[in-house]
Amino acid sequence: MKVRQLTFRLLQVYADVVRTGSLTATANRLHLTQPTVSQQLKRLREIVGEPIVRHEEGRLVPTEVGQALYQLSQDLLSRADVFSQYVEEYNSGGRGHFSIGLVNTAQYVLPRLLGPFSQANPQVDITVEIGNRQQMLNRFERHEDDLYVFSHPPLDDDVLAAPFLSNPLVVVGPEASHWADVNDLTMEALKDQRFLLREPGSATRHTFDAWLYSAGIELRSTQQIASNEAIRLAVASGMGLAVLSRHVVADAPKGIQELPLQGFPLKSRWHFVVRRERRLPPAAYRFLSFVQGSLAQAFEEPEGGLAVAELLQALKVER
Amino acid sequence: MKVRQLTFRLLQVYADVVRTGSLTATANRLHLTQPTVSQQLKRLREIVGEPIVRHEEGRLVPTEVGQALYQLSQDLLSRADVFSQYVEEYNSGGRGHFSIGLVNTAQYVLPRLLGPFSQANPQVDITVEIGNRQQMLNRFERHEDDLYVFSHPPLDDDVLAAPFLSNPLVVVGPEASHWADVNDLTMEALKDQRFLLREPGSATRHTFDAWLYSAGIELRSTQQIASNEAIRLAVASGMGLAVLSRHVVADAPKGIQELPLQGFPLKSRWHFVVRRERRLPPAAYRFLSFVQGSLAQAFEEPEGGLAVAELLQALKVER
DNA sequence: TATAGTCATAGATAATTATCTATGGTTTAG
DNA sequence: CTAAACCATAGATAATTATCTATGACTATA
């Protein structure tokens, strides 16, 4: 058999001929003329190199080889169909894979979106990458993930960013700290305190530093600690104060409390970030759509279903 | 995916691209130019409706969908190959089915040919039909079998017949019959004996009747018995004489013996008979080839490896 | 034995496919 | 930074395919 010349169309037609036992019937069913079917059949026979049907009592019945060919056709066609369905599902985003890169702090809130999405789309498999701002920027540069969450999106023409959630940064002290009761508390009053800060690559640190700079304040004593969790514990044990995302505090308030500092919370927002050029996997697209629809329920203070919708729109145009 | 437009050629090319990770390499391997492969790939992508490869570190690697497509390709191609091999085997006659219709008497000798053939070709499955001449003629008329064995082939332009074995008809009597010792025994001397004969539709009967007629002899007493075996037993028990194929006697000589009658044995021969128009299944063709090669070993008195060879030749021309 | 139904073939055409050469853009490796 | 390698696209062409209409042959049935 000349496999090379074989087409699925021929197999479709042939399978129908075997089922109906009649060229005319197949022609009608497939909206073709009878001679067309006749010729298709002839060509298939030439490809196979062996007669595949014979006349028997006015019907066309497959020969021995034809019978085997029929089974083959069924088999191949149904496999192709399964694949076809798979592609459709993939395309709708209901199936497949995407990866999302999260800045550390965002891991406190994203599960509230990822969890329900995952539940609703069990066939979608998500890789979550987590790191500080710098690490994420590196991944972003290397195009390693499909989707990112930054509070300060990298600026680039190629980058699309949609804010979706406010990320207020607050100053925290140990539980029952006397600072909590001070009125009109200012940073001036705290600048001699020891501050426990994330490493310079972190977004929280970056924002705080910028604010300090613009306020013309220099801290006396700082200590660098690499994880939000470690900072929380340190603050709770009285080692100092810290600046954290309010979401971190809300997530695990044990032993710490927010201080009512003037000028705080510092405003910042999380953004979904994608590269315009990169084709977003349908599953990621579906995730963003899902997010857009569920922001209001998931958070008190979403920042932009609208912005996410615009991002989706922009991506749709790219397709 | 537009299954309808899918071809095996595209899958072949695609599979190779995935393996090599390079259009140029595939182009060389398949003796095409690089732009050709590029275009094939493009078309396949359009058929699938989704990107199937992407560039990664200078190599082409399948996307998620592409990976699934590659697996599909492998699967489909290998299935088509298996079928292709099957067709080849079928074509060589090493596999498949044929049916052969035997006149009763021939069943005593055909096993000597069918047995070894079957052993040598275990994938060939043979249907053996047996009946008397008339029944076989009916089957022949209805084109029910691929191949027949007759001693007197039906005459028709459409019929090809090749004698392959002599089938001497002899007169038999009970063991130790006194007729056995008579010199120059003639039918005249026996005509008053009771003859146990096959029914008129049988070839043996037909031949014997014809001989009697041409010799101008009429028998006094006959009795019709439908099977050679029953006749043998009847003769052995002294109920009369009979005309049987010498092969029957040779096969089971118990209780009977051949009488040395003048003019006997009557000559007759078995023929393989096929319809010229009918396409002989390759397995049947292979059987005839096999027979042609083994006649000399199987029988002392073959009648025509030559004739069988000619028949094969004639069929070959028809193909 | 007409008649209707079914299949095969011929002839024609538009569409699609398979390929090639030439060329320009990107990426990779020195 | 340049050369080499590699891929994409354009343009051209020959071959193949998909179809159709018209017609002829065969077959079963009224």
Side-chain angles (χ1 to χ4, degrees):
Chain A
M1 183 175 66
K2 296 163 187 161
V3 175
R4 181 179 161 155
Q5 299 179 44
L6 195 56
T7 72
F8 280 77
R9 179 55 166 170
L10 286 179
L11 296 182
Q12 286 177 336
V13 172
Y14 175 66
D16 198 79
V17 168
V18 172
R19 274 183 229 115
T20 61
S22 148
L23 298 194
T24 307
T26 290
N28 292 333
R29 288 158 55 102
L30 304 187
H31 308 293
L32 297 169
T33 60
Q34 169 268 314
T36 299
V37 177
S38 180
Q39 194 150 317
Q40 301 270 38
L41 207 63
K42 185 178 176 183
R43 204 154 69 78
L44 184 56
R45 174 176 62 219
E46 280 157 9
I47 289 170
V48 171
E50 235 353 72
I52 52 182
V53 292
R54 66 165 179 278
H55 297 271
E56 197 162 274
E57 298 162 22
R59 279 177 63 79
L60 289 173
V61 298
T63 61
E64 185 174 329
V65 170
Q67 186 58 41
L69 178 62
Y70 176 66
Q71 282 165 19
L72 180 75
S73 304
Q74 294 289 298
D75 187 21
L76 298 185
L77 289 171
S78 78
R79 280 166 200 273
D81 273 350
V82 167
F83 176 76
S84 195
Q85 277 178 258
Y86 158 77
V87 172
E88 263 181 47
E89 227 179 311
Y90 175 87
N91 237 314
S92 77
R95 178 168 196 147
H97 168 257
F98 71 95
S99 67
I100 179 169
L102 300 186
V103 155
N104 260 303
T105 327
Q107 80 184 280
Y108 290 92
V109 297
L110 248 93
R112 279 199 255 173
L113 295 170
L114 289 171
F117 176 78
S118 229
Q119 203 113 54
N121 299 274
Q123 305 254 49
V124 173
D125 127 60
I126 309 171
T127 303
V128 180
E129 300 287 345
I130 296 179
N132 68 24
R133 176 175 168 78
Q134 191 52 53
Q135 293 168 323
M136 271 309 127
L137 277 176
N138 291 341
R139 294 188 65 86
F140 179 83
E141 281 314 311
R142 291 190 222 105
H143 298 219
E144 296 196 58
D145 308 287
D146 299 305
L147 185 62
Y148 295 87
V149 173
F150 282 109
S151 47
H152 296 272
L155 294 174
D156 189 327
D157 275 356
D158 184 32
V159 171
L160 288 173
F164 68 97
L165 185 64
S166 88
N167 177 28
L169 301 181
V170 298
V171 174
V172 297
E175 209 164 28
S177 158
H178 65 282
W179 298 116
D181 305 322
V182 177
N183 273 351
D184 300 330
L185 184 64
T186 65
M187 184 55 82
E188 274 303 318
L190 297 180
K191 69 177 182 186
D192 291 337
Q193 296 298 308
R194 176 191 285 151
F195 271 76
L196 312 175
L197 298 177
R198 294 285 306 280
E199 69 284 5
S202 118
T204 306
R205 168 71 177 270
H206 190 262
T207 306
F208 186 46
D209 282 352
W211 180 82
L212 288 172
Y213 180 80
S214 70
I217 295 172
E218 205 160 322
L219 296 179
R220 276 273 297 280
S221 163
T222 67
Q223 177 169 355
Q224 184 170 317
I225 298 182
S227 99
N228 291 319
E229 195 52 21
I231 288 176
R232 188 180 65 76
L233 293 170
V235 170
S237 66
M239 286 181 62
L241 307 180
V243 174
L244 290 177
S245 164
R246 187 179 272 160
H247 290 287
V248 176
V249 184
D251 188 61
K254 267 232 165 108
I256 62 176
Q257 65 179 304
E258 182 179 337
L259 304 183
L261 194 59
Q262 276 194 351
F264 278 70
L266 296 182
K267 290 208 167 162
S268 100
R269 312 186 287 178
W270 275 303
H271 302 72
F272 283 116
V273 176
V274 299
R275 312 191 87 101
R276 181 179 273 125
E277 155 267 346
R278 186 186 185 99
R279 205 190 129 82
L280 207 56
Y285 190 90
R286 188 184 180 99
F287 172 64
L288 289 177
S289 304
F290 176 90
V291 164
Q292 194 220 318
S294 59
L295 275 178
Q297 291 108 285
F299 303 107
E300 286 177 19
E301 210 174 349
E303 278 280 337
L306 193 62
V308 173
E310 275 165 18
L311 181 144
L312 288 172
Q313 195 53 45
L315 285 171
K316 193 168 265 170
V317 174
E318 308 279 326
R319 310 207 139 191
Chain B
M1 182 175 66
K2 298 166 188 160
V3 175
R4 181 178 162 154
Q5 299 179 44
L6 195 56
T7 72
F8 280 78
R9 178 54 165 171
L10 286 178
L11 296 182
Q12 285 176 336
V13 172
Y14 176 66
D16 198 78
V17 168
V18 172
R19 274 182 230 115
T20 61
S22 148
L23 298 195
T24 308
T26 289
N28 293 333
R29 289 158 55 102
L30 303 188
H31 308 292
L32 297 169
T33 61
Q34 170 267 314
T36 299
V37 178
S38 180
Q39 193 145 317
Q40 302 269 40
L41 208 63
K42 186 178 176 185
R43 205 155 67 79
L44 184 56
R45 174 175 61 218
E46 280 158 8
I47 289 172
V48 171
E50 216 26 48
I52 52 182
V53 293
R54 65 163 179 278
H55 297 270
E56 197 163 274
E57 295 161 22
R59 279 177 63 79
L60 289 173
V61 299
T63 60
E64 185 176 329
V65 170
Q67 186 58 41
L69 179 62
Y70 176 66
Q71 282 164 19
L72 180 75
S73 304
Q74 294 289 301
D75 187 21
L76 298 185
L77 289 171
S78 78
R79 278 164 202 274
D81 273 349
V82 166
F83 175 75
S84 196
Q85 277 178 257
Y86 159 77
V87 172
E88 263 181 46
E89 227 179 312
Y90 174 85
N91 237 316
S92 77
R95 177 165 197 150
H97 169 259
F98 72 94
S99 67
I100 180 169
L102 301 186
V103 154
N104 260 304
T105 326
Q107 80 183 279
Y108 289 92
V109 296
L110 252 103
R112 278 199 257 172
L113 296 169
L114 289 170
F117 176 78
S118 230
Q119 203 113 53
N121 300 275
Q123 305 253 50
V124 173
D125 127 57
I126 309 171
T127 302
V128 180
E129 300 288 345
I130 296 180
N132 69 22
R133 177 176 166 79
Q134 191 51 53
Q135 293 167 324
M136 272 307 128
L137 278 176
N138 290 342
R139 293 187 67 86
F140 179 84
E141 280 314 312
R142 290 190 222 106
H143 299 220
E144 296 196 54
D145 308 287
D146 298 304
L147 185 62
Y148 295 87
V149 174
F150 282 109
S151 47
H152 297 271
L155 295 174
D156 188 329
D157 275 356
D158 184 33
V159 170
L160 288 173
F164 68 97
L165 185 63
S166 88
N167 176 29
L169 301 182
V170 298
V171 174
V172 296
E175 210 165 27
S177 157
H178 64 280
W179 300 115
D181 305 323
V182 177
N183 272 352
D184 299 331
L185 182 64
T186 65
M187 183 55 82
E188 273 303 317
L190 299 180
K191 72 177 179 184
D192 291 339
Q193 297 297 308
R194 176 192 286 150
F195 271 77
L196 312 174
L197 299 178
R198 293 285 305 281
E199 70 285 3
S202 114
T204 307
R205 169 70 177 270
H206 190 262
T207 306
F208 185 44
D209 282 351
W211 181 81
L212 287 173
Y213 181 79
S214 71
I217 295 171
E218 204 162 322
L219 297 179
R220 276 272 299 278
S221 165
T222 68
Q223 179 170 351
Q224 184 170 318
I225 298 181
S227 97
N228 291 319
E229 194 53 21
I231 288 176
R232 189 179 64 73
L233 292 170
V235 169
S237 66
M239 285 181 63
L241 307 181
V243 175
L244 288 177
S245 164
R246 187 180 273 162
H247 290 288
V248 176
V249 183
D251 188 61
K254 267 233 166 108
I256 61 174
Q257 66 179 308
E258 183 179 338
L259 303 184
L261 193 59
Q262 279 194 352
F264 279 71
L266 296 182
K267 292 207 166 162
S268 99
R269 311 186 288 181
W270 274 301
H271 303 71
F272 283 116
V273 176
V274 298
R275 310 191 88 100
R276 181 180 273 125
E277 156 267 345
R278 185 187 185 100
R279 205 190 129 84
L280 208 56
Y285 190 90
R286 188 184 180 100
F287 172 63
L288 289 178
S289 305
F290 176 89
V291 164
Q292 195 222 318
S294 60
L295 276 178
Q297 290 109 284
F299 303 105
E300 286 177 17
E301 209 175 347
E303 276 281 335
L306 192 62
V308 172
E310 274 165 19
L311 180 145
L312 288 172
Q313 196 54 44
L315 285 171
K316 192 167 264 168
V317 173
E318 308 278 326
R319 311 208 137 194

